[in-house]
Amino acid sequence: MRHTISVLVENKFGVLTRVAGLFSGRGYNIESLSVGETIDPQLSIMTIVTTGDDQIIEQITKQLNKLIDVIKVVDLTEIDHVEREMVLVKVAPKQEDKAEVLRLTEIFRGRVVDSSPRTYTVEITGDEKKIEAFIELMKPFGIKEFVRTGKIAIAREGVKK
Amino acid sequence: MKMLGAQIVIECLKKEGVKHIFGYPGGVVLNIFDFLYDDKDIQLILTRHEQGAVHAADGYARSTGKPGVALVTSGPGATNTVTGIATAYMDSIPIIVFSGQVPTKLIGNDAFQEADIVGITRPCTKHNYLVKDVKDLARIIREAFYIATSGRPGPVLIDLPKDVTSDKTQFVWPEHVSLRGYNPKYEGNKWMIKQAAHAIQKAKRAVIIAGGGVIHSAATKELKELAEYTQIPVIMTLMGLGAFPGTHKLALGMPGMHGSYYANMAIQNSDLLIAVGMRFDDRVTGRINDFAPHAKIIHIDIDPSSIRKNVRVDIPIVGDARRVLKGLVNVLKEEEAKNQWDEIRKAWLKQINKWKKEHPLSYEYDENVIKPQFVVEKLYELTKGDAIVATEVGQNQMWAAQFFKLSRPRSWLTSGGLGTMGYGFPAAMGAQVAHPDKTVIDIAGDGSIQMNIQELATCVLYKLPVKVAILNNGYLGMVRQWQELFFKERYSYSHLDTVPDFVKVAEAYGAVGLRAEHPSEVEPVIKEALKVKDRPVFMDFIVDWKEKVFPMVPAGAAIHEMMFGEEKKSKKEQKLRAVK
Ligand SMILES: Cc1ncc(C[n+]2csc(CCOP(=O)(O)OP(=O)(O)O)c2C)c(N)n1
Ligand SMILES: [Mg+2]
């Protein structure tokens, strides 16, 4: 099963490699990993999406906790949480399709963040399903490339961690 | 007072009570070596290879319980430590390795003798550091010792760029270590301990498996108390040997691939397995799906990730083995003062004794050729078991584990997890530095000993009377054994073809060399060796090269599916088995 794991770590050099190395060294999957500072600049949060059966996920959390620079590990999958991802999609629609691309962008509450005579770059934020739906819809118009941030997630307030 | 980084390193080591460092110099660590030159409190043992230095620090740590320290230069000096660090990591041994590094400004430049040793050792250290500012140095060293020795112990590496050792700062020894991401849990959960006690009370066929964790946490007294009070037999893993007296009537020896028949049978037929400070390595469990099929499992370990990693666990207890065992005994004594343990265990212990008689650990004595097991038995006999025993890896290691009945913890130095050939001799050397008056023996193979044979020079230099018993079979014997049993006797590259004259090698280094070619010479050679107090000794035992380690569980089999090596022999031959 897929799990979204939130890992609070020391904001120190080398921590990302320790975490990534743990996954590669023990043969665990990383579907996505995103990392950024927190309100305390000495700490960072990593959101890791991974897959595995219960036993593997238990090992992943335990092994993460073993790292000295890891302060807290929360498997968000088990609790109510909000997750978001962003994608930048560069589409190159034909002249007659441009309006439709803009209309769909609007429906998805996206924004055009860059345009050239041939292309639009559209920014979409949402959960994974929404991102994937948008990409699917854009495919017929000709996607030149897209870049995804990977998931970030946070527990809903009032939920015990 | 302002001090140079190099001096801070030395001062910190003194604060940590370090008396000996094993090391090897080079360009970027010369600042530190300069301070060691006239230091009165710390002695550096100059090994002949950095791998030797790290294994020696490891042997020092295993035999004392205190952290071992190694100091090496950058680049090749640092990369030479990797096997030693990985060996210590797999067996949870507290060592601190200081490696020199090129100056901070040159890092990343492919500078002369630069290696990213922090990157290289990340997966085989408990933690590691690159010191970028001399102001962090004292704190980092303090943290390193704390991390290495607390919780589940392990190696820590500190990479020291040259400029950090020559920069100056105020020396402040931090009183406390505070690491918000690291809080080992020592106290076991009380409720779980109660559950464990209840399971013990209910069990008819209980068995304890003790691992290296019992030794790390100094829990031997508590283990003995639990076993004797409840009359539960004790199996020791390779790492746990010495945790419980090997000659005790409740001791069942080692489990797993080359374990005893009765240990494996006890596990397979048990209804309760009490695993303490062990991690269900595949060499112990054999085919995992058929491991201990009828048993409830209590697993006590300080490392939560060891629990449920390989086997299902019914009662997990995260905590320090000593404290948990103590708690367990207390609960048992409080709750059920009148439990008739002897009565409850009678049938089970009787069954185990039957297994012991069916297939005791044994070998065929021969009066014309030296049997390697005979050498180990004689070593045991002539030292009265009062020795620190190191081993190399291969058949020699297994025979040592089977036939040297250890009675004390911290007297067994063997590379269990990594299985590092070349470990034993330098580890024995490290133990001898810590215990100058003890008999320290390395039970070696002719292949393994050549992997760190250069340390003979170190032992001669520091007058370390390590006794090396080479079970010389002319082969990479364990490899040969597998080829004989599982590769249709195709001995691909396992014959060593040339083995040096170990007596001459020893003599060339200024050590004592002795040889035994006939069983009658074994005892005199060992006696002679034990007399030597001022230099190392090589004992070259020319042993039966055909000998194999039995019993054996083939890879992939369940642990009760054992081979005894008698399959091909006649009845008459079988009768000749020396049963001890
Ligand atoms: C560094 C290293 N390389 C290879 C091996 C694989 N290996 C395991 S046992 C063995 C043979 C050891 O030969 P020897 O030291 O003569 O011991 P024997 O089995 O003959 O007693 C080998 C090559 C190992 N364990 N360690
Ligand atoms: Mg050999």
Side-chain angles (χ1 to χ4, degrees):
Chain A
M1 208 189 105
R2 270 174 105 196
H3 285 249
T4 304
I5 299 172
S6 176
V7 191
L8 184 67
V9 299
E10 297 283 352
N11 187 5
K12 276 190 200 155
F13 115 116
V15 177
L16 180 60
T17 359
R18 283 186 206 281
V19 170
L22 190 158
F23 277 78
S24 62
R26 291 185 182 267
Y28 307 139
N29 289 317
I30 300 187
E31 290 200 358
S32 74
L33 186 158
S34 75
V35 56
E37 253 185 27
T38 64
I39 189 163
D40 177 349
Q42 293 188 339
L43 301 177
S44 301
I45 286 223
M46 296 183 184
T47 308
I48 302 173
V49 179
T50 181
T51 50
D53 59 25
D54 289 353
Q55 199 234 350
I56 289 178
I57 299 295
E58 179 178 335
Q59 267 301 308
I60 290 177
T61 21
K62 284 175 168 177
Q63 294 291 348
L64 282 168
N65 266 314
K66 248 171 95 168
L67 296 178
I68 308 286
D69 289 333
V70 167
I71 294 160
K72 194 166 152 190
V73 182
V74 181
D75 186 352
L76 290 171
T77 321
E78 290 164 4
I79 58 180
D80 202 6
H81 66 281
V82 187
E83 42 183 69
R84 284 292 178 272
E85 186 177 348
M86 193 173 94
V87 67
L88 296 173
V89 188
K90 200 181 276 177
V91 270
K94 296 200 196 83
Q95 195 57 34
E96 62 266 34
D97 290 335
K98 281 192 169 172
E100 180 64 3
V101 166
L102 293 177
R103 199 180 69 86
L104 286 168
T105 301
E106 199 144 298
I107 292 173
F108 275 76
R109 303 222 177 96
R111 292 194 300 155
V112 175
V113 291
D114 185 36
S115 65
S116 73
R118 304 276 306 277
T119 63
Y120 288 133
T121 302
V122 179
E123 170 199 316
I124 303 281
T125 306
D127 61 16
E128 196 182 347
K129 274 199 194 116
K130 180 176 165 188
I131 304 277
E132 261 151 29
F134 185 76
I135 291 171
E136 276 312 305
L137 282 173
M138 285 300 114
K139 272 186 185 160
F141 300 114
I143 295 178
K144 281 191 77 175
E145 60 176 314
F146 65 78
V147 180
R148 296 171 70 156
T149 55
K151 197 187 281 183
I152 56 168
I154 197 164
R156 283 190 196 276
E157 194 47 43
V159 177
K160 250 180 72 189
K161 283 184 199 174
Chain B
M1 197 178 70
K2 284 213 164 184
M3 284 187 191
L4 292 182
Q7 201 180 354
I8 291 178
V9 171
I10 308 293
E11 288 309 311
C12 289
L13 292 178
K14 288 183 188 172
K15 291 273 188 196
E16 291 290 353
V18 173
K19 298 267 182 300
H20 299 98
I21 307 178
F22 301 89
Y24 210 86
V28 297
V29 284
L30 289 184
N31 288 321
I32 305 174
F33 272 79
D34 194 53
F35 276 101
L36 285 169
Y37 186 55
D38 33 29
D39 196 277
K40 301 275 179 305
D41 302 325
I42 296 180
Q43 186 192 10
L44 182 124
I45 310 291
L46 179 66
T47 60
R48 303 298 131 146
H49 191 300
E50 289 89 350
Q51 184 187 353
V54 181
H55 289 326
D58 171 314
Y60 189 94
R62 287 189 209 226
S63 64
T64 60
K66 292 190 214 134
V69 180
L71 168 64
V72 302
T73 192
S74 67
T79 54
N80 271 347
T81 66
V82 174
T83 303
I85 294 174
T87 302
Y89 182 68
M90 289 293 268
D91 292 344
S92 310
I93 305 304
I95 56 169
I96 319 283
V97 176
F98 290 91
S99 54
Q101 184 54 280
V102 301
T104 42
K105 274 200 215 67
L106 286 181
I107 291 177
N109 238 330
D110 301 324
F112 176 64
Q113 294 195 326
E114 178 183 359
D116 174 13
I117 197 65
V118 168
I120 292 170
T121 60
R122 199 171 284 128
C124 61
T125 48
K126 184 169 173 188
H127 197 56
N128 60 15
Y129 292 92
L130 169 64
V131 187
K132 286 178 148 177
D133 186 336
V134 70
K135 290 196 199 73
D136 300 330
L137 187 54
R139 173 186 56 82
I140 286 176
I141 295 175
R142 179 93 162 90
E143 282 178 14
F145 274 85
Y146 173 65
I147 291 171
T149 53
S150 58
R152 177 177 178 178
V156 177
L157 175 132
I158 303 175
D159 206 19
L160 292 170
K162 184 173 181 183
D163 51 328
V164 169
T165 65
S166 58
D167 284 350
K168 271 192 169 172
T169 192
Q170 200 71 29
F171 172 58
V172 190
W173 180 242
E175 283 305 314
H176 306 285
V177 177
S178 97
L179 291 160
R180 39 188 171 177
Y182 179 69
N183 295 299
K185 188 168 169 284
Y186 292 95
E187 237 32 91
N189 180 301
K190 288 221 165 66
W191 190 79
M192 282 294 180
I193 292 177
K194 272 221 162 96
Q195 297 309 301
H198 293 161
I200 290 174
Q201 283 158 352
K202 271 195 222 126
K204 296 254 162 0
R205 302 183 310 278
V207 61
I208 296 172
I209 309 187
V214 174
I215 291 166
H216 298 320
S217 73
T220 46
K221 196 176 120 241
E222 289 74 11
L223 174 69
K224 195 155 170 244
E225 201 174 350
L226 175 68
E228 287 179 344
Y229 181 64
T230 57
Q231 287 296 300
I232 299 179
V234 180
I235 294 169
M236 282 164 277
T237 68
L238 184 65
M239 297 312 303
L241 291 173
F244 189 74
T247 47
H248 197 286
K249 76 178 203 329
L250 288 168
L252 299 188
M254 201 168 59
M257 183 171 275
H258 290 297
S260 64
Y261 171 71
Y262 35 97
N264 285 356
M265 289 306 276
I267 292 171
Q268 294 303 72
N269 290 283
S270 65
D271 62 356
L272 180 69
L273 212 64
I274 307 158
V276 196
M278 56 82 72
R279 58 188 176 84
F280 294 100
D281 182 273
D282 50 273
R283 285 292 194 260
V284 166
T285 63
R287 189 165 67 236
I288 198 100
N289 292 335
D290 294 315
F291 177 76
H294 314 294
K296 215 179 188 161
I297 299 181
I298 300 172
H299 193 178
I300 302 165
D301 205 290
I302 195 145
D303 177 2
S305 74
S306 285
I307 293 175
R308 276 203 287 265
K309 185 174 69 180
N310 299 337
V311 298
R312 73 199 148 74
V313 173
D314 302 282
I315 304 173
I317 306 177
V318 176
D320 171 65
R322 193 171 57 80
R323 295 193 207 186
V324 174
L325 289 177
K326 201 169 185 175
L328 193 52
V329 173
N330 285 344
V331 174
L332 284 166
K333 286 192 172 166
E334 274 164 28
E335 288 207 347
E336 209 60 47
K338 290 187 291 284
N339 218 333
Q340 297 298 310
W341 294 111
D342 292 342
E343 208 41 50
I344 294 172
R345 301 277 177 251
K346 210 168 164 183
W348 177 230
L349 291 176
K350 203 172 141 202
Q351 173 63 59
I352 287 174
N353 276 331
K354 223 176 109 195
W355 287 324
K356 276 190 179 173
K357 289 208 183 87
E358 260 174 65
H359 289 289
L361 273 183
S362 62
Y363 66 95
E364 266 176 56
Y365 179 75
D366 193 310
E367 40 186 53
N368 296 312
V369 247
I370 303 175
K371 293 288 177 170
Q373 300 95 326
F374 175 67
V375 175
V376 178
E377 273 186 342
K378 279 284 161 201
L379 285 167
Y380 175 67
E381 209 181 290
L382 295 171
T383 56
K384 301 185 189 68
D386 186 16
I388 295 175
V389 180
T391 77
E392 300 295 339
V393 170
Q395 294 178 313
N396 58 84
Q397 179 183 34
M398 291 300 117
W399 286 319
Q402 292 177 336
F403 291 93
F404 205 104
K405 306 282 177 213
L406 294 157
S407 57
R408 250 170 274 113
R410 303 212 171 279
S411 50
W412 175 243
L413 318 173
T414 200
S415 168
L418 200 67
T420 308
M421 289 171 69
Y423 166 80
F425 183 36
M429 175 173 88
Q432 188 82 78
V433 168
H435 306 273
D437 301 324
K438 277 219 146 184
T439 302
V440 182
I441 303 172
D442 176 35
I443 297 179
D446 45 344
S448 301
I449 193 61
Q450 295 186 66
M451 287 212 177
N452 271 316
I453 203 161
Q454 76 286 345
E455 299 309 328
L456 260 174
T458 317
C459 290
V460 168
L461 174 60
Y462 296 95
K463 301 192 169 30
L464 300 169
V466 173
K467 319 289 187 281
V468 182
I470 303 172
L471 306 180
N472 188 344
N473 53 13
Y475 275 94
L476 300 171
M478 188 56 94
V479 174
R480 201 200 70 88
Q481 172 164 346
W482 281 57
Q483 289 169 333
E484 178 180 333
L485 298 174
F486 312 117
F487 288 87
K488 304 197 179 91
E489 303 183 35
R490 289 162 52 81
Y491 299 118
S492 178
Y493 302 99
S494 55
H495 188 227
L496 286 165
D497 283 313
T498 73
V499 170
D501 181 331
F502 288 116
V503 172
K504 280 192 186 153
V505 171
E507 284 167 354
Y509 272 102
V512 177
L514 303 167
R515 179 171 293 125
E517 292 175 276
H518 189 269
S520 63
E521 293 162 1
V522 171
E523 192 166 320
V525 160
I526 296 173
K527 281 187 171 157
E528 179 80 26
L530 290 174
K531 276 191 224 144
V532 180
K533 302 286 181 208
D534 62 345
R535 69 191 95 170
V537 187
F538 267 18
M539 294 171 268
D540 188 18
F541 295 104
I542 310 300
V543 299
D544 182 1
W545 60 271
K546 294 187 291 307
E547 196 62 25
K548 291 183 283 295
V549 182
F550 286 115
M552 178 174 196
V553 178
I559 56 169
H560 60 274
E561 295 163 2
M562 302 192 90
M563 302 162 71
F564 297 96
E566 291 163 351
E567 290 77 5
K568 285 188 194 163
K569 287 180 199 142
S570 69
K571 282 264 148 57
K572 197 174 143 211
E573 273 179 308
Q574 287 189 26
K575 269 202 191 139
L576 286 171
R577 288 173 48 207
V579 176
K580 285 233 159 186

